[in-house]
Amino acid sequence: MNSKKTGFNTICTHIGEIEDKQFKGAISPIYLSTSYAFEGVDTKRYPRYFNTPNQEALCKKIARLEKGEASLIFGSGMAAISTTLLAFLRKGDHIVLQRTLYGGTANLINEEFDKYGIEYSFVDSQDASGFEEKIKENTKVIYIETPSNPLLTITDIRAISELAQQKEIITMIDNTFASPVNQNPIELGIDIVLHSATKYLGGHSDILAGAVVSSEKNIEQIFHLAKNLGGSLSDFTVWMLERSIKTLGLRVKQQNKNAKKMAKWLEKHTDIEAVFYPGLKSHPDYEIAKKQMKGFGGMLSFELKKGLDASKFQKELKLIKSSMSLAGVESTILSPTLTSHALLTEEEREHQGINDGLLRFSVGIEEKEDLIRDIEQALEKIKILELEH
Ligand SMILES: *Cc1c(COP(=O)(O)O)cnc(C)c1O
């Protein structure tokens, strides 16, 4: 089962599982102990050392899913991201980042990095040449996120990793939106893959967690800072995450299928102004997406036609819930202007192509006919409201 040929869903279900030798139970037992017998200075087991039985088991599974050598699991996506960034950057170093980043990551850079004397530059274009222009003598890391939030722009992973390899710069990617089902950046030359496991890895909107996957050597370097910062995940949640990942392949494939169908349906709809989904031929980055993604993911965004009120529309939806987070088995929707991107100025939002009518849609595993009916009835309601005015 540990062969290189083991398929994705088999890795999801079995890799890393702990054998229950005592009772022969079907699933990994859960070890909540925070205290283990001392077995020598090098092998002290302790949750904050990221080495409890359940942590080690899950790390094997996640590393295999992302085709890396090793991984670490954290208490949140941001714990994974912040620890990893700080493990490779010190005072006087420089990092080049994509402009369209998850809000929390952008806040970490903008609010904290000056304090540590770490320099940073944001790149507005997604082309490798845009990144190249920002590289300096002291650039140590290039950081990307693709597909991005909320417009699902695609960065060419291979082009970025080739550029970085030439200049001996470490590459990091936030692979949350794609999930390991749809994109394995290590195969495309990326050094370090980050996840908010709160999203697709967890998949049921009941787990906050993060993960990083890379080579043994890089994970060792991250571990040294991680044990000092203390952002490990509780073993109960580790165990829940192991269970969740068993259905990762099934869930995400259904979400891919639903999202593609919804994107195509929305694109044809006369009340919809624009649809952003990397699996649509009309998406400006479709060709790059096709090259580097195995599926196009469960996230899309769309704009209603001028004159239709997006927030009224959102309120009329019955099945599709308004929600801040994403990637659960249930479909959710949000307005980036009012939520995830509310802290940006209007100008900054405009610059990133985010207008007030934009809605970000996290497509779940429901039957697509029910999602279509829900959107249809909400559109009818708001059109009647408009007429009454
Ligand atoms: C949610 C999210 C994060 C942050 O993860 P938390 O688990 O909330 O800390 C990072 N990147 C992306 C793309 C996300 O969607």
Side-chain angles (χ1 to χ4, degrees):
M1 202 174 65
N2 268 309
S3 96
K4 271 226 152 73
K5 284 197 195 125
T6 308
F8 194 88
N9 282 323
T10 313
I11 297 173
C12 287
T13 357
H14 291 298
I15 292 295
E17 66 189 344
I18 303 170
E19 196 187 333
D20 176 1
K21 292 202 178 108
Q22 198 173 5
F23 298 110
K24 311 258 186 283
I27 61 160
S28 295
I30 172 171
Y31 293 91
L32 292 175
S33 198
T34 53
S35 181
Y36 291 84
F38 184 75
E39 291 181 58
V41 181
D42 292 338
T43 52
K44 276 183 298 189
R45 272 195 206 277
Y46 188 54
R48 186 167 46 74
Y49 294 161
F50 296 76
N51 62 359
T52 59
N54 291 92
Q55 284 174 314
E56 286 186 345
L58 181 56
C59 284
K60 279 186 202 146
K61 196 192 291 293
I62 293 179
R64 277 295 288 280
L65 290 175
E66 277 295 9
K67 303 180 192 294
E69 290 172 4
S71 86
L72 288 175
I73 312 151
F74 289 81
S76 70
M78 283 315 302
I81 292 168
S82 58
T83 306
T84 301
L85 282 169
L86 294 174
F88 288 90
L89 291 164
R90 61 177 64 210
K91 198 164 130 191
D93 286 346
H94 175 249
I95 176 171
V96 177
L97 309 106
Q98 178 173 324
R99 170 82 63 191
T100 47
L101 290 179
Y102 174 73
T105 311
N107 292 345
L108 169 72
I109 309 293
N110 289 319
E111 294 171 14
E112 310 295 338
F113 270 29
D114 287 340
K115 275 202 293 220
Y116 299 110
I118 301 165
E119 297 171 30
Y120 49 91
S121 307
F122 290 104
V123 182
D124 283 308
S125 89
Q126 292 133 245
D127 295 338
S129 61
F131 284 80
E132 188 164 14
E133 277 168 25
K134 302 281 183 181
I135 291 173
K136 306 199 291 186
E137 271 299 300
N138 55 343
T139 304
K140 293 284 153 53
V141 175
I142 295 179
Y143 187 102
I144 59 172
E145 185 177 318
T146 179
S148 75
N149 179 25
L151 291 174
L152 292 307
T153 62
I154 304 293
T155 306
D156 189 332
I157 299 174
R158 175 84 70 186
I160 298 296
S161 53
E162 277 169 8
L163 167 71
Q165 274 161 17
Q166 277 165 24
K167 310 218 177 234
E168 291 179 37
I169 295 169
I170 292 165
T171 42
M172 298 181 188
I173 186 172
D174 184 332
N175 203 34
T176 301
F177 266 41
S179 93
V181 180
N182 292 323
Q183 189 166 275
N184 291 127
I186 289 175
E187 283 185 328
L188 301 165
I190 293 286
D191 296 310
I192 300 175
V193 176
L194 292 150
H195 278 283
S196 167
T198 313
K199 313 298 163 52
Y200 287 104
L201 296 180
H204 296 72
S205 308
D206 56 7
I207 286 172
L208 187 81
V212 57
V213 183
S214 189
S215 62
E216 298 270 9
K217 182 167 164 272
N218 286 338
I219 292 296
E220 187 63 29
Q221 183 162 342
I222 298 163
F223 166 72
H224 277 288
L225 179 64
K227 71 178 193 316
N228 292 337
L229 293 181
S232 60
L233 183 64
S234 94
D235 277 295
F236 183 68
T237 317
V238 168
W239 180 84
M240 281 187 59
L241 186 54
E242 183 194 338
R243 187 195 58 173
S244 299
I245 292 177
K246 291 185 187 193
T247 57
L248 173 69
L250 298 182
R251 286 187 275 111
V252 173
K253 274 175 202 156
Q254 174 73 4
Q255 286 167 310
N256 284 347
K257 212 162 104 188
N258 275 356
K260 196 169 188 181
K261 294 228 166 95
M262 293 308 295
K264 284 190 170 157
W265 178 77
L266 286 164
E267 195 174 39
K268 287 205 200 94
H269 202 293
T270 48
D271 294 333
I272 306 299
E273 181 66 39
V275 182
F276 304 91
Y277 183 65
L280 287 179
K281 294 211 174 75
S282 59
H283 191 287
D285 306 324
Y286 172 71
E287 289 302 327
I288 308 171
K290 213 168 66 173
K291 208 174 62 178
Q292 68 191 23
M293 298 183 82
K294 298 163 197 186
F296 297 108
M299 300 298 301
L300 63 92
S301 53
F302 61 95
E303 275 169 32
L304 301 185
K305 274 261 147 66
K306 282 233 155 40
L308 295 176
D309 186 321
S311 59
K312 281 186 191 148
F313 167 76
Q314 224 183 315
K315 286 196 192 95
E316 293 298 340
L317 290 167
K318 295 198 165 74
L319 181 64
I320 304 165
K321 298 268 180 343
S322 290
S323 162
M324 270 301 277
S325 201
L326 60 108
V329 288
E330 70 286 358
S331 290
T332 60
I333 198 159
L334 66 69
S335 153
T337 303
L338 299 177
T339 57
S340 56
H341 294 68
L343 293 179
L344 298 185
T345 63
E346 211 176 311
E347 209 180 4
E348 283 169 326
R349 273 198 298 272
E350 202 167 296
H351 187 65
Q352 294 192 21
I354 300 164
N355 68 32
D356 295 350
L358 187 75
L359 292 165
R360 189 193 73 188
F361 186 9
S362 171
V363 183
I365 64 168
E366 301 93 338
E367 301 302 332
K368 69 169 192 307
E369 291 77 12
D370 294 321
L371 299 174
I372 286 174
R373 246 197 317 276
D374 195 29
I375 293 177
E376 210 54 286
Q377 66 81 25
L379 285 169
E380 288 312 313
K381 285 236 182 72
I382 60 164
K383 281 194 281 185
I384 292 167
L385 289 175
E386 300 292 333
L387 287 177
E388 283 170 354
H389 270 262

